[in-house]
Amino acid sequence: MGNISDRIALIIKEEGISIRAFEQHIGCSNGVISKCINKGTDISSLWVSKIIETFPKIDPKWLLTGEGTMLSPSSAASNSITSSKSSPSIPTACHAPHGSSEGIPLIPLDAVAGFPAESSGGVRLEDCERYVIPEFENKGANFLIRVSGDSMVPLYYSGDLLACRKITDIRFFQWGTVYVLETSQGVLVKRVQESVDHADSILCVSENSSVHHPFLLPRDDIRSLSIIVGLVRLV
């Protein structure tokens, strides 16, 4: 069935995400998969391995050779690669029992800046829902937040749980990366770009840019900053 770039394009279509979101899922630089699909450039074995690792429901033999079907036999039987076309393949989340100290806490949006809680106040961990997701714990995730709104569709949907790791130094950004920013406007999930004309601000960009237009955010309005290390989509 075509070449490997055609099959990668089919995976992206099946997952219902953008090429850029797919690149983020496997951890490669912006444009690597885009060039493979649109220009027919070769893709290294490293990224093929990452695709197989990140999307375990995909049959490796099909991806490499085109033989067979997209879904591995076990996942095809359960039809569980996605519960909807917009849901990417993600690790399984187990809801920890109430009062448990295991797992990653789900922090209310208005309490992100106060997490981790100090003895003087902040969000009470015993009041938080927790999810056991070993893959995200291994990546250093220390809290989850729930997405609200449609500004980051199709990358993230309202109700998605984002696994986040707080950054202590909020002065530096990796341009083009999606961050969780706690500001005076509340918690924002935005792709951050450099503002050439305003050195004291950053440009916050939504994936759903036809509805939510980019805007400038003063650097001194950023109270806390986190990177996203994983996604849980509850369906």
Side-chain angles (χ1 to χ4, degrees):
M1 178 185 293
N3 53 38
I4 192 168
S5 62
D6 295 329
R7 293 189 288 277
I8 293 173
L10 285 175
I11 295 172
I12 294 172
K13 181 179 179 180
E14 175 69 20
E15 293 298 307
I17 58 178
S18 67
I19 293 177
R20 178 57 186 141
F22 184 84
E23 290 170 334
Q24 287 186 322
H25 281 310
I26 67 173
C28 69
S29 301
N30 188 11
V32 170
I33 300 301
S34 177
K35 291 177 182 177
C36 171
I37 293 175
N38 298 321
K39 298 183 179 180
T41 58
D42 293 334
I43 182 171
S44 73
S45 58
L46 169 64
W47 300 124
V48 173
S49 298
K50 285 290 186 180
I51 293 172
I52 294 171
E53 176 185 339
T54 306
F55 298 88
K57 302 298 191 296
I58 297 297
D59 187 339
K61 182 178 180 181
W62 173 84
L63 176 61
L64 293 169
T65 68
E67 298 178 8
T69 59
M70 180 188 296
L71 299 184
S72 62
S74 59
S75 62
S78 62
N79 193 29
S80 61
I81 182 171
T82 58
S83 295
S84 69
K85 293 297 182 179
S86 61
S87 299
S89 296
I90 54 178
T92 300
C94 176
H95 201 174
H98 179 71
S100 171
S101 61
E102 296 182 358
I104 307 172
L106 173 60
I107 305 299
L109 288 177
D110 59 0
V112 169
F115 179 81
E118 303 294 341
S119 57
S120 58
V123 63
R124 289 162 49 92
L125 295 184
E126 57 266 35
D127 294 335
C128 295
E129 293 182 74
R130 285 177 172 267
Y131 292 86
V132 179
I133 317 171
E135 295 92 334
F136 297 166
E137 293 180 44
N138 292 338
K139 292 181 179 181
N142 53 5
F143 71 96
L144 302 166
I145 63 167
R146 193 182 301 279
V147 175
S148 177
D150 64 353
S151 67
M152 295 304 287
V153 171
L155 184 58
Y156 303 125
Y157 290 80
S158 185
D160 286 351
L161 300 182
L162 303 182
C164 306
R165 184 175 72 240
K166 260 197 172 181
I167 299 173
T168 54
D169 191 342
I170 64 175
R171 296 173 299 171
F172 304 104
F173 296 90
Q174 182 176 346
W175 303 125
T177 298
V178 176
Y179 288 97
V180 176
L181 307 104
E182 200 272 337
T183 73
S184 62
Q185 304 177 45
V187 176
L188 307 173
V189 180
K190 298 296 177 185
R191 191 177 302 281
V192 172
Q193 302 286 2
E194 183 178 16
S195 175
V196 177
D197 299 324
H198 300 84
D200 60 345
S201 299
I202 60 172
L203 186 65
C204 294
V205 181
S206 300
E207 294 293 290
N208 191 3
S209 57
S210 62
V211 177
H212 302 272
H213 301 300
F215 62 89
L216 290 172
L217 177 69
R219 289 174 181 261
D220 60 9
D221 191 23
I222 300 172
R223 302 173 181 177
S224 71
L225 182 69
S226 302
I227 60 171
I228 298 168
V229 299
L231 162 69
V232 176
R233 181 159 292 158
L234 304 180
V235 294

